[in-house]
Amino acid sequence: MATRAATSMTLSERNLRAHLSFLADDLLEGRGTGQRGGDLAVRYLETQAALVGLQVLPGNKVQGYRQAVDILGSQTLPESQIRFFASAQQWMPVPGKDVVFGSSGGRQNVKFSAPLLFVGYGIHAPEENWDDFKQADVRGKLLVMMVNDPQPTAEEPQRFGGAALTYYGRWTYKFEEAARRGAAGVLLIHTDASAAYGWNVPQTSFSHERFSLPGMGNPLEGWIQEDAARQLFTAAGLDLDQLRQQAERRDFQPVLLNATAQAEVHNSVRQVRQYNVLGMVPGTDPVLKSEAVIYSAHWDHLGIETDANGKTQIWNGAVDNASGSAALIEMARVAVRQPTRRTQIFLWPAAEEQYLLGSATYVQQAPWPLAKTAADLNLDSMNFVAATKDIGVAGSERSSLYHSAVKVAKAMKLRIAPSVPDLGGAYFRADHFNFARVGIPAFNVGSAVFSGDGHFDFDKAPQEVYLKKMRDFKQDYHTVRDVYHPDWDLSGMLQQALFTLRLGQEVGNDSKMPVWNPGEAFGKIPRQ
């Protein structure tokens, strides 16, 4: 049962705006992983954690408000290249335009010649009776895969989640599967529709330094533009569209292309120590205080870069995710004054933009027992447009968190936004997913989609004005245009932050921990 105090919580717009404007300022240089701006962000966050009164977690897995995240940074060098040989033809795709690629796991120099193997969606899912690999030996081969997952049919409208994207459709799964099978590398065929974002997103990612945990990833991994892939398949005497159709069937067999790839990948590699920032509000119940609810929001973005012409660009990441980081500070300030029966942990993970490495490190080296962790409520890219009449809780329906969310929304006189198919796999793209993977109920509360159906709470402008701002941000996502504007209306951001804090307090005071719904495919950990 929620406490009476929780119903009167007030967050400060002034505080939120101050934190947001500072974290998104040019001074922090885009809060890049392994960069000075990231170090400044960590220092600011731990200072604020101390200032608002968060306590340091016990044990030796944290030092003060910091948890070390040791990763490897790899910057692909310009001399890297890949060539294709097919039917006595030689073709070198243009890096950046036709193809983007790199290496993971700290490999400095990679050189190989390998046959190309088309493996459809690159999925092995026993629960779906699906295996794109069959018995093919993929070791030493360069795998070419489609992104997304098999589409539903009239006979099987719910296969692979129906219209929604499952984790099998995410590029991260496909890279992981290639590495598990010992492939020489993997290239994903990019289309805007299948990836749910434009070519600029992988293009930007691979132009920056990329990070991984030691031993992680493939010797070569990247993306190839659809037109470039079609040119390659045509040169090999194959019809890409026909093979795509075949890949929609369970009886699909991997197809060895009459083609070879020669690749050289040269990387500048360095070891980097980053930090998750975290602090806690101890619980008040003698028994339940050993359990915790986590609020999380990653502090990093894409940083600063100076090109060959000396032009400097900063990816400020105001919405993604200075917004969530700022909101978490203000939420912590209030939570310190209104503790719950369970302990509340406020976590700012590092390196989310680098494959969720900070939250991955947290769950691998958990400073609080995972079996005693009730939930993770994540904030990532919040509403900078206006307050709304509804609240989006996509992902909560996987667990009993949905029922708690409904209760909190009702108390705040908010509707739950209608659920829509997760076409872009958003559930698998933020830090909460690493908690879900180890069995902790979790979802992302703050989202650039904001309110689901976009019903704004007042009429300072026509609805279309607000909706246009939402749509326009999709063009600014992961670009240098994601900057803070002093005229932003933060009422919607405050609304999301308050909803998240009240939901966390609902979980923190409940006599029972949240549970997954029957049939959810996430690993379970024993609840003690």
Side-chain angles (χ1 to χ4, degrees):
M1 180 181 296
T3 63
R4 180 179 299 276
T7 64
S8 60
M9 289 186 292
T10 302
L11 303 180
S12 165
E13 193 271 354
R14 182 177 64 179
N15 291 354
L16 176 59
R17 188 176 294 276
H19 297 311
L20 172 58
S21 63
F22 180 79
L23 289 167
D25 193 85
D26 280 356
L27 178 68
L28 271 71
E29 300 175 346
R31 308 182 307 282
T33 298
Q35 296 183 358
R36 173 180 176 272
D39 295 339
L40 290 174
V42 167
R43 190 71 187 94
Y44 182 77
L45 290 170
E46 68 180 352
T47 299
Q48 293 302 318
L51 187 63
V52 302
L54 291 179
Q55 296 187 24
V56 173
L57 272 68
N60 60 5
K61 294 183 179 179
V62 295
Q63 297 295 321
Y65 293 104
R66 299 185 178 198
Q67 179 188 31
V69 179
D70 291 317
I71 54 182
L72 296 169
S74 299
Q75 178 71 60
T76 304
L77 300 177
E79 56 265 32
S80 300
Q81 62 179 11
I82 185 169
R83 295 177 184 269
F84 298 117
F85 297 86
S87 302
Q89 301 179 48
Q90 179 184 159
W91 172 53
M92 186 167 72
V94 178
K97 176 180 177 291
D98 298 321
V99 66
V100 292
F101 59 91
S103 298
S104 293
R107 299 171 175 89
Q108 284 188 297
N109 297 291
V110 172
K111 185 176 182 179
F112 65 81
S113 177
L116 279 78
L117 182 69
F118 177 67
V119 291
Y121 285 105
I123 292 173
H124 178 223
E127 72 276 14
E128 293 276 356
N129 189 27
W130 195 278
D131 182 9
D132 282 324
F133 296 94
K134 304 302 188 285
Q135 299 300 315
D137 182 1
V138 306
R139 290 174 295 180
K141 296 182 176 65
L142 179 60
L143 307 184
V144 183
M145 299 183 189
M146 299 155 60
V147 292
N148 214 309
D149 46 25
Q151 298 303 295
T153 65
E155 294 77 18
E156 294 182 282
Q158 292 304 313
R159 76 173 185 177
F160 285 95
L165 188 73
T166 69
Y167 187 58
Y168 292 114
R170 286 284 292 148
W171 60 267
T172 47
Y173 164 80
K174 297 171 191 295
F175 284 177
E176 290 167 2
E177 191 64 32
R180 279 191 287 267
R181 293 173 180 268
V186 54
L187 286 176
L188 305 180
I189 302 172
H190 179 274
T191 70
D192 288 3
S194 61
Y197 41 72
W199 178 248
N200 67 293
V201 175
Q203 194 177 45
T204 298
S205 176
F206 279 81
S207 68
H208 286 73
E209 185 177 21
R210 298 168 64 243
F211 294 86
S212 60
L213 298 175
M216 173 183 175
N218 298 277
L220 182 147
E221 53 193 28
W223 297 70
I224 184 169
Q225 273 270 37
E226 181 181 28
D227 289 344
R230 182 169 280 106
Q231 181 178 343
L232 172 62
F233 277 65
T234 299
L238 296 168
D239 185 320
L240 176 58
D241 293 325
Q242 187 177 70
L243 289 176
R244 281 170 163 166
Q245 291 178 2
Q246 294 176 18
E248 297 292 337
R249 296 170 52 92
R250 282 189 173 81
D251 59 2
F252 167 80
Q253 295 285 337
V255 177
L256 190 65
L257 277 66
N258 182 25
T260 302
Q262 288 186 358
E264 288 190 32
V265 188
H266 302 284
N267 299 295
S268 173
V269 177
R270 62 182 178 130
Q271 294 184 338
V272 178
R273 170 162 285 189
Q274 295 293 268
Y275 295 95
N276 295 331
V277 180
L278 65 166
M280 70 174 186
V281 180
T284 60
D285 186 277
V287 176
L288 293 184
K289 68 180 182 181
S290 67
E291 301 172 356
V293 56
I294 298 177
Y295 310 89
S296 58
H298 75 90
W299 59 256
D300 64 303
H301 196 56
L302 300 179
I304 187 171
E305 183 177 79
T306 301
D307 63 22
N309 299 318
K311 181 181 179 181
T312 297
Q313 293 193 101
I314 298 175
W315 280 259
N316 299 85
V319 174
D320 181 17
N321 186 35
S323 64
S325 294
L328 219 59
I329 300 172
E330 178 58 11
M331 290 161 58
R333 181 187 68 83
V334 173
V336 165
R337 292 156 178 78
Q338 299 186 14
T340 61
R341 298 170 69 194
R342 287 189 175 87
T343 296
Q344 297 172 86
I345 295 174
F346 289 81
L347 169 65
W348 291 266
E352 187 271 355
E353 302 290 359
Q354 306 296 333
Y355 316 133
L356 318 182
L357 297 182
S359 55
T361 297
Y362 179 94
V363 298
Q364 290 172 10
Q365 304 172 26
W368 196 274
L370 298 180
K372 295 287 189 178
T373 302
D376 173 61
L377 307 177
N378 193 58
L379 293 171
D380 193 344
S381 300
M382 298 180 70
N383 176 1
F384 63 91
V385 177
T388 58
K389 295 180 180 179
D390 60 359
I391 193 78
V393 295
S396 68
E397 73 282 352
R398 297 172 180 268
S399 71
S400 62
L401 286 174
Y402 178 79
H403 302 292
S404 299
V406 170
K407 182 177 179 180
V408 172
K410 183 177 180 180
M412 292 179 65
K413 295 181 170 52
L414 292 170
R415 297 192 301 267
I416 295 294
S419 62
V420 295
D422 186 4
L423 301 179
Y427 188 78
F428 315 109
R429 293 168 56 182
D431 282 313
H432 67 277
F433 183 57
N434 277 325
F435 291 91
R437 293 182 81 169
V438 296
I440 297 169
F443 74 104
N444 191 46
V445 185
S447 168
V449 178
F450 307 150
S451 67
D453 59 4
H455 290 154
F456 290 94
D457 200 21
F458 49 83
D459 297 317
K460 291 182 179 178
Q463 290 288 313
E464 181 56 33
V465 173
Y466 297 130
L467 295 172
K468 184 177 185 303
K469 288 183 180 181
M470 293 168 62
R471 290 194 297 265
D472 286 350
F473 176 69
K474 294 181 180 180
Q475 305 304 315
D476 296 339
Y477 173 68
H478 276 213
T479 74
V480 296
R481 297 187 301 277
D482 181 7
V483 298
Y484 169 72
H485 296 277
D487 62 348
W488 274 352
D489 179 347
L490 300 189
S491 59
M493 201 175 295
L494 284 166
Q495 185 182 55
Q496 285 181 327
L498 180 60
F499 175 84
T500 305
L501 182 56
R502 290 182 65 170
L503 176 57
Q505 297 230 324
E506 180 70 30
V507 173
N509 285 314
D510 200 322
S511 59
K512 296 181 179 180
M513 296 177 77
V515 293
W516 291 105
N517 294 340
E520 283 296 334
F522 298 113
K524 303 300 188 290
I525 54 178
R527 300 299 194 188
Q528 300 174 2

